[in-house]
Amino acid sequence: MTSDEVRRVAELARLVVPEEELPGLISQMERIVAHVDRLRELPEELLPDPELPAETVLRADAPAEGGGDRELEANAKTMAHGHVVVPRVVGGAP
Amino acid sequence: MRSVEEIAAAVSSRTSSAQEVARDTLAGIAQLDGALSCFLSIDEARTLACAREVDARVAAGESLSLAGVPVAVKDNIAVAGRPATCASRILEGFVPGYDATAVARLQAAGAVVVGKTNMDEFAMGSSNENSAFGPVRNPWDHERVPGGSSGGSAAAVAARLVPAALGSDTGGSVRQPGSLCGVVGFKPSYGRVSRYGLIAFASSLDQIGPLTRTVGEAARIYEAMAGSDTRDSTSCAEPVGDPVGAASRSVFGMRIGLLAEAFTDGLDADVEKNFRAAVGVLEGLGATVSEVSVPRAPYAIPIYYVIANAEASANLARFDGLRYGPAATRPSLLPSTAPTARAGSARRSSAGSSWAPSRFLPATPTRTTVAPPAPGRCCRAISTRRSAASTR
């Protein structure tokens, strides 16, 4: 692992990593990667054929009462016109 | 604190009322939990109302296997009208409007939920140091951790605050705190207990399980909540059978396998000594114990970390400030959360969990080390040693 790789992982995880913590994190990340790398030791021919995925269990498609809007609204920070208000994530400034 | 059986018998025969039991339990928690932090929320009014209902059902002649039994529930399991924070600020203030199936079934059997227990944030961790609302202390020694992530549930049972509690186990999160607190922690086979209402961590591994003082009590709690559920398509349709009867049978003549690969270099000498002593008790009772080798068992842990982290990444994507969780004021699509200095939270998702789960290992020590010292008193060297042990 290089310090650039650790910085990149931290950036993706939205973490601020002080420079002095980098060497410690590099060695920890190296150990983690080495640990998972052990899976390469498993010869593929030893592994069983992948099982077919189990059939998806479905219940009858019958109409039923839902949980009710009241509980939903109780957990919404802001409601407007019967809708939950969420932050704008697309487009320009409002 | 009386046992699950004793409380159910006393409330069923009306020598005690569920309300008396609930009041005593609440008083015990109020007196002792300040030093332990097992609970994140207690709702006295709801608890007493629930107990009153149980008394009315008993008076009406209903037979309830868990009549009046106080139960604590881990804070990642939904109980209608009570907060479910997963010990995270992200879910602070979230109150589910419904019960998890496991909780609904316990309540149908007469159990009374008293409160929600502390845990490692989103069930990621094995020490309970990672709760946003402060760590849980091990009741046997407040200087040590209770294990995790169901540390609040395990500590509440060990401290005799409640006779039973629910936890959730993905990679050891019921079994390991059970071990560190000296109580029974049981992870049922995948599919046995519905996960409807459990806030998901790694969906192909998560199971809800009981923490109690005895195996018999764990069997009673498990029996009440196990079974198929149309709200969890992964729940198993096979009949549950008779776990309480099975738990009371003798081990005489039973063949028990001892996993050779569990006895690694990282195994603490005291842990091994106590484990071998427990095996000796089983042999003394007439069980035949023999060593079994599963050469690929050591690969279970790296496989666990690949699966658990990938699934956690998918499951936690919903806490994006739109569907759940607080929103930043001016978010953009990718950086929807502000950068944080908590590098520790990144480390714990890859290095902080515990013994890997395996349905192939019938008898192994739950943990390679004894309970390490608690937060605030533990030095970096100890944390490092613990992660090293857990990844061996």
Side-chain angles (χ1 to χ4, degrees):
Chain A
M1 298 289 294
T2 64
S3 40
D4 280 348
E5 284 169 322
V6 173
R7 275 197 207 96
R8 176 69 182 141
V9 171
E11 187 192 329
L12 287 170
R14 310 290 297 152
L15 295 168
V16 174
V17 177
E19 282 296 312
E20 64 270 22
E21 283 193 20
L22 273 177
L25 283 171
I26 290 171
S27 77
Q28 286 183 15
M29 297 277 284
E30 276 173 346
R31 280 178 52 212
I32 291 166
V33 171
H35 189 62
V36 174
D37 246 10
R38 288 195 59 199
L39 294 179
R40 292 180 202 273
E41 295 166 13
L42 281 171
E44 273 188 34
E45 57 273 18
L46 275 183
L47 303 176
D49 288 334
E51 286 174 36
L52 289 173
E55 203 175 318
T56 304
V57 182
L58 298 172
R59 61 170 179 260
D61 187 13
E65 284 294 314
D69 294 344
R70 206 166 43 84
E71 283 86 358
L72 177 75
E73 287 177 25
N75 275 304
K77 205 172 172 188
T78 323
M79 294 287 296
H81 315 296
H83 298 281
V84 179
V85 177
V86 297
R88 178 189 289 264
V89 290
V90 287
Chain B
M1 176 56 67
R2 288 177 289 176
S3 71
V4 167
E5 292 91 339
E6 286 165 346
I7 293 170
V11 172
S12 295
S13 65
R14 303 176 74 181
T15 47
S16 293
S17 74
Q19 290 169 85
E20 284 163 14
V21 175
R23 271 194 291 272
D24 288 350
T25 306
L26 291 168
I29 293 168
Q31 192 190 343
L32 297 171
D33 196 44
L36 299 172
S37 302
C38 299
F39 286 88
L40 290 179
S41 64
I42 295 283
D43 188 331
E44 288 202 18
R46 271 178 198 277
T47 303
L48 293 173
C50 183
R52 209 159 33 240
E53 203 179 296
V54 170
D55 284 332
R57 288 168 66 193
V58 170
E62 257 191 82
S63 167
L64 302 170
S65 65
L66 299 175
V69 173
V71 174
V73 178
K74 187 177 181 180
D75 212 31
N76 60 350
I77 300 171
V79 182
R82 294 176 186 256
T85 66
C86 287
S88 176
R89 297 251 177 238
I90 291 176
L91 279 179
E92 208 169 10
F94 171 59
V95 180
Y98 66 100
D99 288 319
T101 298
V103 170
R105 287 181 179 174
L106 291 187
Q107 288 175 333
V112 175
V113 174
V114 292
K116 304 294 297 295
T117 54
N118 206 345
M119 55 187 280
D120 284 301
E121 192 167 358
F122 285 109
M124 289 176 207
S126 51
S127 65
N128 240 288
E129 293 158 290
N130 300 310
S131 164
F133 305 110
V136 178
R137 304 282 169 184
N138 191 315
W140 299 107
D141 178 352
H142 292 194
E143 302 295 303
R144 290 176 188 273
V145 301
S149 63
S150 310
S153 289
V157 173
R160 276 58 174 162
L161 300 180
V162 283
L166 295 189
S168 65
D169 190 319
T170 304
S173 279
V174 165
R175 295 161 289 168
Q176 183 260 20
S179 171
L180 265 58
C181 288
V183 297
V184 175
F186 173 51
K187 180 181 190 183
S189 296
Y190 189 76
R192 274 306 194 190
V193 177
S194 167
R195 292 168 307 119
Y196 177 72
L198 169 67
I199 296 170
F201 163 14
S203 303
S204 67
L205 300 164
D206 295 343
Q207 271 290 287
I208 294 174
L211 288 131
T212 56
R213 276 176 287 158
T214 64
V215 172
E217 289 170 286
R220 275 174 196 275
I221 300 292
Y222 166 66
E223 186 176 72
M225 65 182 176
S228 69
D229 178 18
T230 52
R231 288 168 153 162
D232 178 358
S233 65
T234 64
S235 73
C236 173
E238 294 289 314
V240 175
D242 177 22
V244 176
S248 62
R249 274 201 295 278
S250 161
V251 297
F252 186 86
M254 212 177 262
R255 289 173 64 217
I256 297 175
L258 212 57
L259 181 76
E261 285 75 13
F263 300 93
T264 62
D265 292 343
L267 185 58
D268 183 281
D270 273 348
V271 171
E272 178 163 5
K273 197 177 106 198
N274 287 326
F275 180 75
R276 299 249 184 224
V279 170
V281 170
L282 292 171
E283 285 177 316
L285 292 168
T288 314
V289 180
S290 47
E291 202 161 89
V292 190
S293 174
V294 181
R296 273 178 253 164
Y299 296 104
I301 295 173
I303 290 169
Y304 166 78
Y305 279 115
V306 171
I307 294 172
N309 287 336
E311 293 186 0
S313 170
N315 278 324
L316 269 59
R318 73 191 60 157
F319 304 108
D320 55 4
L322 296 177
R323 288 164 291 179
Y324 291 92
T329 352
R330 278 185 302 170
S332 68
L333 264 181
L334 177 66
S336 60
T337 53
T340 158
R342 292 171 59 210
S345 59
R347 274 201 294 278
R348 78 169 170 267
S349 64
S350 46
S353 196
S354 58
W355 255 85
S358 173
R359 58 190 68 175
F360 310 112
L361 321 183
T364 63
T366 317
R367 185 80 180 164
T368 52
T369 58
V370 292
R377 291 161 183 81
C378 84
C379 61
R380 185 167 287 272
I382 286 166
S383 308
T384 312
R385 181 173 63 82
R386 196 165 62 250
S387 338
S390 68
T391 50
R392 278 212 172 90

